[in-house]
Amino acid sequence: MTDVDVLSSRMKSRLHLQTKTIGAERIKKAKDNNEDIAVLSMFLPNASAVEENRSFYCSLGDYCRLGDPRATKAGTKKMEYKTRQWHENCFCCCVCKMAIGTKSFIPREQEIYCAGCYEEKFATRCIKCNKVITSGGVTYKNEPWHRECFTCTHCNITLAGQRFTSRDEKPYCAECFGELFAKRCTSCVKPITGIGGTRFISFEERHWHHDCFVCASCKASLVGRGFITDGPDILCPDCAKQKLM
């Protein structure tokens, strides 16, 4: 499992793109520096901006809402973003067709989206609830989850940042996995999960936790040593000899 901010590089970094009404000097600076902002300005009378107005062509082309992509009526407003231009009302979301105005927008592959439509179409969605993940989440088996949605299949405790394992492609907390599926220690009868590097010993059909694998008589650890079985018990060689005497 990996903690990730799933939208930090896809969406949030672009939500600062807003239209701004600014002075002529600032507009020139924005254009010269190819800044990532949309500029809202006004068409000036032809006498004072004849060349600028003559070069204007609305990016909607034949779909221009004014009916003429070259219309430059003094006093109306235009929008400029990067090297493209629009009439103010033509600078709209390509999905819902609502004018952007001074709201946030996201450019993608030559199209302009309002924040809502972009989120609906492109944002990462939680595999469990299908709602948009807006800030942070976890990935499990290459699928995105809200942190609060990534829970144990059995008890529903959140697993984000916790030890867990899976069975049949479903996640379980360590406690539930042990209770439901794990082998049990012959000595203490508690689950042997193996999670987190837990060591255990198996012999024939029996299993022990590393710390539970001890002589039934003297309680000395039998890990790495020889041992003798005596019915349900295991004994160290010395205790086995004494029992036979």
Side-chain angles (χ1 to χ4, degrees):
M1 186 193 77
T2 310
D3 286 343
V4 290
D5 186 354
V6 294
L7 292 183
S8 63
S9 62
R10 299 182 191 175
M11 183 173 158
K12 279 198 165 182
S13 63
R14 308 189 96 180
L15 287 181
H16 70 285
L17 300 182
Q18 293 183 323
T19 55
K20 298 182 179 181
T21 305
I22 53 182
E25 186 175 321
R26 182 66 180 85
I27 291 174
K28 182 179 184 303
K29 181 180 179 182
K31 289 180 179 179
D32 291 344
N33 296 334
N34 196 30
E35 292 184 22
D36 209 8
I37 60 172
V39 177
L40 178 64
S41 59
M42 187 174 292
F43 286 110
L44 300 176
N46 286 341
S48 56
V50 60
E51 289 301 325
E52 183 175 346
N53 290 349
R54 184 180 298 161
S55 65
F56 176 84
Y57 187 85
C58 179
S59 288
L60 287 189
D62 293 340
Y63 298 99
C64 174
R65 293 184 170 186
L66 300 188
D68 180 5
R70 295 192 179 280
T72 57
K73 183 179 178 180
T76 59
K77 294 178 181 178
K78 63 180 177 179
M79 195 72 71
E80 298 177 77
Y81 177 66
K82 298 292 187 177
T83 59
R84 303 166 68 195
Q85 298 177 312
W86 297 259
H87 295 107
E88 180 184 17
N89 290 333
C90 293
F91 188 67
C92 58
C93 173
C94 66
V95 177
C96 67
K97 309 304 180 185
M98 295 293 291
I100 298 296
T102 57
K103 299 189 293 291
S104 296
F105 69 95
I106 300 94
R108 183 185 175 107
E109 297 176 356
Q110 299 301 306
E111 299 285 6
I112 299 296
Y113 294 85
C114 67
C117 288
Y118 185 90
E119 181 178 278
E120 182 67 26
K121 189 169 184 177
F122 299 110
T124 301
R125 291 180 178 274
C126 175
I127 195 68
K128 183 175 182 179
C129 70
N130 199 40
K131 294 181 180 179
V132 171
I133 301 174
T134 57
S135 58
V138 298
T139 57
Y140 174 64
K141 293 189 179 298
N142 295 319
E143 293 181 322
W145 305 63
H146 288 112
R147 294 179 68 87
E148 60 272 22
C149 289
F150 188 62
T151 59
C152 173
T153 303
H154 185 67
C155 71
N156 287 321
I157 189 174
T158 182
L159 297 178
Q162 305 297 320
R163 292 190 307 163
F164 71 93
T165 189
S166 63
R167 185 182 178 93
D168 299 328
E169 301 297 315
K170 297 177 180 179
Y172 292 86
C173 68
E175 184 174 345
C176 285
F177 183 85
E179 290 297 325
L180 294 171
F181 308 115
K183 296 178 176 65
R184 292 187 176 271
C185 177
T186 300
S187 178
C188 71
V189 197
K190 292 180 180 179
I192 301 173
T193 63
I195 297 175
T198 300
R199 293 181 293 174
F200 62 95
I201 293 92
S202 295
F203 177 70
E204 295 181 343
E205 297 299 318
R206 293 187 286 175
H207 314 278
W208 294 265
H209 291 108
H210 191 272
D211 294 338
C212 294
F213 193 60
V214 298
C215 174
S217 180
C218 69
K219 306 305 179 184
S221 174
L222 297 177
V223 176
R225 298 176 58 190
F227 63 93
I228 288 76
T229 60
D230 181 27
D233 296 331
I234 52 172
L235 300 171
C236 67
D238 291 341
C239 289
K241 289 179 182 178
Q242 290 181 9
K243 190 170 184 179
L244 291 174
M245 292 176 64

